[in-house]
């Protein structure tokens, strides 16, 4: 229905345009005013629907060819009353009837496919409605990157690479950064650089999940930082290990990296070789805050009573102790030293015990004490090494250290 109406409207627009373009006009005389009414009568009596559109077209064509034959009703005077009631100016205007030129088929069919756009309020058929394809609207603002994945080739390729966008969007301004980058222009070169450094393909996704900011870094600056590490005699495999385990490492400028290495060398009194070995095994020392490190060093020396040389041994063997919670460090030392009676030199020898959960240490010590086997002095028989106390699985601990069954250990824990 709406299509036929638009086509009829298009025909009328073409006819009006031909008038405005200055087509020749001619006057024609009709035998009576009724003949004039005959020319325009069909326009007032058009049926609805498709037939109506055809009537309109035929009426316009009828006017253009100049047919003036009066209907029978006009010939017998049925329109005489209408003629007599018309004012004289109207009669004069009707005497000069404007006629339109006959438009050939080529003109009428011109731009036939250029149908004027329909109104948003116009009713359409079900067949036309199902042909409308509405594209999803890109949100102007969103709290999740998921809304943009279908619209962004960059985000889609990062997802295929293994990047967890749900974690990336939790990092400050990381989501906005990814939306401004082009994969081919901005990201591909960074991925090739990371592979050249030594980051494995299956680690690229997790790496960028933890550090998406590296995608916005200047490639030349990144290459300069790697060149600095090589100048400090770090091998290619060592650099690859450090970058993979500490994703933020390459965000640090050469000056900051140099200051961090100098800090640990001077603060701990370590040699260059031991300092390198320390940061290779625990590279997050170079990317973390220095204040917790300074505080833990003071706790070890002032509160826990370790000598400087003992602190050096503890930190070198267990560098994670520098970033541990001070409260947990104090509680673990108190139980080991004051409850279990472990002296400082023994804790210095087995500092990995500080990385164990205090609950695990307490449960196993109490079970050994219940069995009468809690002996931690290496000079005494049935000596139990601190490393074995905390590192062995429960089954092995019960069988080799406690000399009991796992069921006995579980039953004992229920009594606590």
């Amino acid at each position: 229905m709406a299509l036929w109406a638009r086509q009829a409207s298009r025909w009328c627009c073409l006819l009006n345009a031909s008038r405005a373009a200055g087509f020749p006009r001619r006057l024609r005389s009709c035998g009576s005013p009724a003949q004039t009414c005959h020319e325009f009568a069909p326009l007032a009596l058009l049926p609805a629907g498709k037939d109506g559109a055809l009537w309109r077209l035929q009426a316009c064509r009828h006017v253009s060819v100049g047919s003036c034959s009066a209907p029978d009703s006009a010939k017998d005077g049925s329109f005489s009353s209408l003629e007599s009631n018309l004012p004289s100016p109207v009669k004069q205007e009707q005497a000069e009837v404007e006629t339109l030129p006959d438009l050939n088929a080529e003109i009428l069919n011109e731009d036939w496919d250029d149908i004027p756009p329909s109104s948003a309020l116009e009713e359409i058929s079900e067949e036309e409605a199902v042909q409308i394809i509405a594209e999803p609207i890109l949100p102007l603002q969103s709290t999740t990157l998921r809304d943009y994945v279908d619209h962004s080739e960059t985000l889609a390729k990062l997802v295929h690479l293994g990047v967890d966008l749900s974690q990336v969007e939790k990092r400050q301004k990381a989501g906005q950064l990814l939306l401004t980058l082009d994969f081919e222009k901005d990201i591909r070169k960074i991925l090739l650089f990371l592979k050249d450094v030594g980051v494995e393909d299956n680690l690229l996704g997790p790496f960028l999940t933890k550090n998406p900011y590296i995608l916005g870094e200047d490639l030349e600056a990144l290459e300069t930082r790697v060149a600095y590490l090589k100048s400090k005699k770090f091998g290619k495999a060592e650099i690859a290990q450090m970058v993979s385990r500490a994703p933020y490492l390459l965000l640090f400028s050469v000056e900051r990296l140099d200051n961090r290495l100098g800090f640990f060398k001077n603060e701990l009194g370590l040699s260059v070789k031991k300092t390198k070995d320390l940061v290779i095994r625990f590279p997050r020392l170079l990317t973390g805050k220095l204040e917790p490190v300074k505080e833990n060093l003071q706790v070890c020396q002032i509160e826990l009573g370790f000598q400087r040389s003992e602190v050096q041994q503890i930190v070198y063997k267990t560098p994670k102790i520098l970033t541990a919670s001070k409260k947990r460090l104090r509680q673990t030392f108190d139980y080991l030293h004051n409850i279990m009676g472990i002296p400082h030199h023994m804790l210095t020898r087995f500092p990995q015990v500080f990385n164990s959960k205090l609950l695990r240490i307490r449960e196993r010590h109490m079970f050994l004490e219940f069995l009468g086997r809690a002996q931690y002095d290496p000079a005494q028989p049935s000596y139990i090494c601190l490393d074995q106390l905390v590192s062995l699985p429960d089954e092995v601990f019960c069988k080799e250290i406690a000399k009991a069954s796992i069921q006995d250990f579980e039953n004992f824990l229920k009594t606590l």
Side-chain angles (χ1 to χ4, degrees):
M1 180 71 71
L3 180 60
W4 277 99
R6 290 198 297 270
Q7 290 173 345
S9 175
R10 179 61 180 167
W11 277 77
C12 292
C13 290
L14 288 173
L15 293 175
N16 290 336
S18 66
R19 286 186 181 182
F23 280 101
R25 300 178 180 179
R26 63 187 178 87
L27 300 177
R28 53 182 258 248
S29 302
C30 297
S32 66
Q35 292 177 339
T36 303
C37 294
H38 168 72
E39 292 179 351
F40 297 97
L43 296 176
L45 302 175
L46 291 177
K50 297 181 180 179
D51 296 337
L54 293 175
W55 270 81
R56 288 185 177 89
L57 297 177
Q58 292 172 357
C60 293
R61 183 64 177 266
H62 182 67
V63 171
S64 66
V65 298
S67 176
C68 294
S69 59
D72 296 337
S73 58
K75 294 178 180 179
D76 60 10
S78 60
F79 284 90
S80 59
S81 60
L82 177 61
E83 181 181 2
S84 60
N85 293 332
L86 290 174
S88 58
V90 175
K91 295 179 182 180
Q92 295 176 359
E93 291 178 1
Q94 288 180 346
E96 299 178 356
V97 179
E98 180 185 89
T99 60
L100 298 176
D102 184 12
L103 300 179
N104 55 37
E106 182 179 355
I107 297 177
L108 292 178
N109 290 332
E110 186 178 0
D111 295 334
W112 177 258
D113 294 332
D114 296 340
I115 302 174
S118 58
S119 170
L121 302 178
E122 181 180 351
E123 295 184 2
I124 61 176
S125 64
E126 294 184 1
E127 291 77 6
E128 292 177 312
V130 297
Q131 296 178 1
I132 298 177
I133 301 177
E135 295 291 337
I137 300 176
L138 182 65
L140 297 178
Q141 183 174 349
S142 177
T143 58
T144 176
L145 290 173
R146 180 178 56 187
D147 296 335
Y148 298 93
V149 174
D150 293 336
H151 305 275
S152 172
E153 180 183 3
T154 297
L155 294 183
K157 289 186 177 181
L158 288 177
V159 170
H160 288 306
L161 194 63
V163 178
D164 188 349
L165 296 182
S166 65
Q167 297 299 319
V168 172
E169 64 192 19
K170 295 178 182 179
R171 307 185 186 279
Q172 186 177 13
K173 297 184 179 180
Q176 294 91 321
L177 172 64
L178 295 186
L179 290 175
T180 61
L181 298 177
D182 180 82
F183 189 88
E184 297 297 330
K185 180 181 177 181
D186 305 315
I187 297 180
R188 181 180 292 277
K189 60 184 180 182
I190 302 298
L191 295 177
L192 295 176
F193 164 77
L194 291 175
K195 290 184 64 176
D196 184 64
V197 169
V199 180
E200 299 179 5
D201 291 349
N202 62 330
L203 296 180
L204 287 174
F207 181 94
L208 295 179
T209 299
K210 295 178 181 178
N211 180 20
Y213 305 107
I214 197 172
L215 298 176
E217 288 289 307
D218 180 68
L219 181 60
E220 185 177 352
L222 295 175
E223 293 173 343
T224 300
R225 294 160 194 171
V226 173
Y228 166 78
L229 293 176
K230 291 180 179 179
S231 70
K232 292 297 181 180
K233 308 304 180 182
F234 288 95
K236 181 176 178 62
E238 295 170 342
I239 295 176
Q241 177 181 335
M242 294 169 62
V243 172
S244 299
R245 298 179 62 181
Y248 283 96
L249 179 63
L250 294 181
L251 295 186
F252 284 67
S253 65
V254 170
E255 292 76 13
R256 294 185 68 183
L257 290 174
D258 190 67
N259 291 336
R260 290 297 178 94
L261 289 173
F263 169 81
F264 288 107
K265 179 180 180 299
N266 298 328
E267 195 71 18
L268 299 176
L270 299 176
S271 64
V272 174
K273 183 179 182 304
K274 286 190 173 183
T275 302
K276 287 175 51 183
D277 185 62
L278 179 70
V279 297
I280 289 172
R281 290 185 292 115
F282 197 62
R284 281 186 293 174
L285 289 176
L286 295 177
T287 60
K289 296 180 179 180
L290 294 181
E291 288 303 319
V293 173
K294 296 177 181 179
E295 293 175 357
N296 282 3
L297 288 175
Q298 292 180 352
V299 168
C300 290
Q301 294 187 47
I302 299 176
E303 298 185 28
L304 306 186
F306 288 99
Q307 300 296 322
R308 179 176 173 82
S309 60
E310 293 176 330
V311 173
Q312 290 177 353
Q313 295 182 51
I314 291 174
V315 171
Y316 182 72
K317 292 180 179 178
T318 314
K320 193 175 180 180
I321 198 173
L322 291 174
T323 58
S325 166
K326 293 186 293 295
K327 179 180 179 180
R328 175 185 169 187
L329 193 60
R330 295 188 187 102
Q331 290 177 342
T332 302
F333 173 82
D334 180 68
Y335 192 86
L336 290 169
H337 183 68
N338 299 323
I339 304 299
M340 296 175 59
I342 309 297
H344 282 80
H345 71 275
M346 288 295 297
L347 295 175
T348 302
R349 186 179 175 185
F350 302 103
Q352 57 269 28
V353 71
F354 286 103
N355 290 335
S356 301
K357 294 182 179 180
L358 179 58
L359 179 61
R360 185 186 185 94
I361 298 173
R362 186 174 65 86
E363 289 177 346
R364 294 190 174 188
H365 168 70
M366 294 181 68
F367 183 57
L368 292 174
E369 194 174 42
F370 172 75
L371 298 175
R373 302 183 60 84
Q375 178 56 257
Y376 308 108
D377 187 353
Q380 300 297 325
S382 302
Y383 159 70
I384 296 176
C385 177
L386 290 179
D387 184 33
Q388 294 180 334
L389 175 70
V390 298
S391 63
L392 295 177
D394 286 343
E395 294 80 1
V396 180
F397 165 76
C398 292
K399 181 179 180 180
E400 298 184 4
I401 305 299
K403 308 299 182 181
S405 66
I406 185 66
Q407 188 64 41
D408 293 336
F409 183 51
E410 292 176 352
N411 293 335
F412 173 77
L413 295 179
K414 293 177 182 179
T415 64
L416 297 179

